[in-house]
Amino acid sequence: MNHTVQQLLLAAVVVLPLLGSVAALLPAPPGLRGRGPDQAVMRHGVTVTGVVLAAAIALAAGFDHDHPARMQAQTDIGWIPALDIRIHLGVDGVSLPLLVLTALLTFLSALYAYFNRPSGPSPKAFVALLLLLESGTLASFAVLDLMLFFLAFEMVLIPMYFLINRWGGAERERAAWRFILYTLLGSVVMLLGLLLVGLKGGTFDMVALATDNGSGLSHTTQLIAALAIIAGLAVKAPMWPLHSWLPDAHTAAPTVGSVLLAGVLLKMGTYGLVRIVLPMTPDAAHTYAPYLAAFAVVGIIYGSLACLALARAGAKGDLKRLIAYSSVGHMGFVLLGIATLTPTGVNGALFANIAHGLITGLLFFLVGALKDRSGTTDLDQLSGASGAALYGRAPRLGGLLAFGAVASLGLPGLAGFWGEMLAMFGAFDPADGLSRPAYLTYMALAAFGTLLTAAYMLIVVRRVCMGDHPVEPGTGTEAERPALADVHGHEFAAWSPLVALTVLAGLWPAALLGLTDPAVQQLLAGGTR
């Protein structure tokens, strides 16, 4: 594809949601109002996110797959000359899959919200915030200047805060405040680290800093800068023990907010570790890697045990909260892969990033639909005598929930398997200079975490899909269960791409690994190979 066309496509992917966000606040033209202004603005959200998705797919189709390590579709123009801050955009094999995932999940969220409008204030504000969130997230994966990365990283916080606070459920104000306080405090610390790297390295250009591979930074500078950057990124990742904002945010957020928070926003933290910390501060990355790995495996075990506690009968566990804690465990595998400092581990981390976005996004969609039908996400109520019993009352919904659960537990042949396996392979043989006995211990703990994941996911499927009190035919108990609608057409349209991609990535992992591996090799080595 022509370079200019690539540049235009990438610029459109980043800028169109921002323009669409502003346009959503304007009155709809008379001929496009449909049944009313509310429907018109929701349709506007679907249209804009659909165009952005089409542009992202076109960008991926025109990407030079023979050279995924090379930064492509670059735009590099001056912005603040006094500080040498530039508007520098580009994509490679690391960022391209995340761009497409973000565009896909935002479009599916807009489509789902069009038919299941969240209860709350003006739909205009909802659509404007959704598009602003998409623009900031896409920019985070596309910009190649440290200061622009920070601005894009911060840009997503305000819209997500309002999505939780204005359209969320119970305890939404408390959850929104915890989200904004944790992430803002982490971002302030991260900014100090980014400034230190840029000022000491002589540039804020991420490509130049990665090519230098830390040669312009002293060991002490790397240690201080990397610690600050890791602290900020770890909040968003989320890494134990900086994760405690996440369960509250997911539980209170509307369905669309939970999908985007889990499927996209968490990836910004781990992407920053791969794009910034590993290539720009390699000495510090080597120093902190064992500690990062230790926190990662604690998160894996902690998240799994929390899910087991929520899944047991009588615990009054919330299904959305359970999936949020499962994200802590799954993102632990991503952090473990990064902490191995090996191509195998980092590729596994990037694969697990995409798999988690697909699978957890699907699970939050399903839980949202279940709440719309039954009015609750309380596991004890869903599994009680008058609960969901999805296999008998809504078999397609029950089948999709079971599919999402087995994909999440890492069943071979589905997307969740490869990332976790490669992360553990990386821990089996970590980078030179790292303690192999320590990493073998981490690998064993992570493997135990996969068993715990299987345990709580299967308990959830049994309780929600079959019930704690199975109905005996002919007893009359069937009449006690109210009607429960199965999968609607618009839900099938919103969820089927996630199911298809989960299967495709599980059966053909080379499609994604072929993109990420050359780019990872170059980032870890520094310079241009």
Side-chain angles (χ1 to χ4, degrees):
M1 181 183 289
N2 182 278
H3 177 65
T4 304
V5 176
Q6 279 191 316
Q7 285 181 307
L8 292 174
L9 283 173
L10 183 57
V13 164
V14 174
V15 174
L16 278 179
L18 188 60
L19 298 177
S21 177
V22 175
L25 299 174
L26 303 176
L32 298 176
R33 287 179 183 169
R35 292 193 297 271
D38 289 352
Q39 187 203 36
V41 76
M42 298 302 292
R43 187 169 55 207
H44 169 78
V46 175
T47 303
V48 173
T49 55
V51 171
V52 172
L53 175 60
I57 292 173
L59 180 65
F63 187 80
D64 184 357
H65 292 262
D66 293 329
H67 301 91
R70 179 168 56 85
M71 202 60 71
Q72 301 180 34
Q74 288 196 69
T75 298
D76 189 6
I77 56 178
W79 185 35
I80 306 177
L83 298 176
D84 193 28
I85 298 175
R86 307 181 65 80
I87 298 177
H88 190 182
L89 305 177
V91 289
D92 63 357
V94 170
S95 54
L96 181 64
L98 290 166
L99 276 174
V100 177
L101 175 69
T102 301
L104 173 65
L105 284 176
T106 312
F107 169 69
L108 298 181
S109 296
L111 181 65
Y112 183 84
Y114 179 80
F115 293 96
N116 295 78
R117 193 177 305 164
S119 58
S122 163
K124 278 190 175 184
F126 177 84
V127 172
L129 290 169
L130 184 69
L131 293 173
L132 184 62
L133 180 70
E134 180 182 32
S135 181
T137 311
L138 289 168
S140 298
F141 299 135
V143 297
L144 296 173
D145 183 278
L146 286 178
M147 290 300 99
L148 278 184
F149 175 81
F150 176 77
L151 292 176
F153 197 86
E154 294 302 286
M155 184 175 165
V156 305
L157 302 185
I158 300 304
M160 181 54 73
Y161 166 81
F162 281 110
L163 285 174
I164 296 172
N165 195 22
R166 304 302 298 276
W167 287 271
E171 302 287 334
R172 60 180 183 268
E173 290 187 12
R174 176 177 176 271
W177 273 111
R178 290 196 73 184
F179 165 77
I180 200 75
L181 287 175
Y182 269 75
T183 48
L184 274 178
L185 287 173
S187 298
V188 168
V189 177
M190 183 180 74
L191 175 61
L192 298 177
L194 295 176
L195 287 171
L196 186 57
V197 169
L199 295 174
K200 293 292 186 180
T203 179
F204 289 103
D205 186 270
M206 294 165 69
V207 176
L209 289 167
T211 302
D212 289 343
N213 204 220
S215 60
L217 305 175
S218 69
H219 183 70
T220 303
T221 300
Q222 287 194 35
L223 289 177
I224 296 171
L227 183 61
I229 295 170
I230 290 171
L233 296 173
V235 173
K236 189 70 72 71
M239 183 179 76
W240 181 91
L242 302 174
H243 70 284
S244 57
W245 61 270
L246 182 71
D248 289 341
H250 270 309
T251 305
T255 297
V256 166
S258 292
V259 170
L260 295 177
L261 182 58
V264 178
L265 264 67
L266 304 188
K267 313 302 178 286
M268 293 165 62
T270 50
Y271 170 78
L273 291 173
V274 175
R275 177 67 74 195
I276 298 173
V277 176
L278 297 191
M280 298 182 198
T281 57
D283 294 345
H286 196 279
T287 300
Y288 293 133
Y291 305 101
L292 182 63
F295 284 126
V297 294
V298 171
I300 292 170
I301 301 298
Y302 171 82
S304 300
L305 291 176
C307 289
L308 273 175
L310 291 170
R312 64 183 176 85
K316 296 292 182 182
D318 186 280
L319 188 52
K320 285 188 75 175
R321 196 173 190 85
L322 184 147
I323 297 173
Y325 272 111
S326 79
S327 290
V328 176
H330 289 305
M331 296 307 289
F333 281 97
V334 177
L335 293 168
L336 176 62
I338 294 171
T340 66
L341 305 183
T342 63
T344 302
V346 176
N347 276 303
L350 295 173
F351 198 102
N353 252 349
I354 301 299
H356 178 265
L358 296 172
I359 297 166
T360 308
L362 174 63
L363 285 172
F364 275 118
F365 271 135
L366 293 167
V367 174
L370 190 57
K371 184 177 183 180
D372 291 340
R373 288 158 169 77
S374 62
T376 184
T377 52
D378 184 280
L379 272 170
D380 286 340
Q381 294 184 43
L382 291 173
S383 59
S386 60
L390 292 180
Y391 284 160
R393 301 170 63 210
R396 287 187 289 275
L397 185 60
L400 283 170
L401 182 63
F403 172 85
V406 297
S408 183
L409 63 83
L411 186 74
L414 298 176
F417 171 73
W418 294 105
E420 295 181 1
M421 185 195 70
L422 289 172
M424 288 189 284
F425 272 7
F428 181 77
D429 189 17
D432 293 340
L434 298 177
S435 170
R436 190 156 187 254
Y439 274 81
L440 288 175
T441 304
Y442 300 150
M443 182 192 73
L445 290 171
F448 180 62
T450 63
L451 299 178
L452 295 177
T453 303
Y456 71 73
M457 279 299 180
L458 293 176
I459 290 173
V460 167
V461 170
R462 179 184 62 79
R463 297 191 69 199
V464 177
C465 295
M466 301 173 66
D468 291 339
H469 306 281
V471 173
E472 294 294 333
T475 61
T477 315
E478 299 96 326
E480 298 176 10
R481 299 190 191 272
L484 194 69
D486 211 338
V487 178
H488 300 302
H490 69 274
E491 292 172 333
F492 180 79
W495 303 341
S496 55
L498 301 179
V499 173
L501 288 171
T502 299
V503 174
L504 181 64
L507 296 178
W508 190 27
L512 184 55
L513 294 174
L515 278 176
T516 61
D517 184 54
V520 167
Q521 298 270 4
Q522 180 166 307
L523 282 173
L524 291 177
T528 304
R529 296 188 303 113

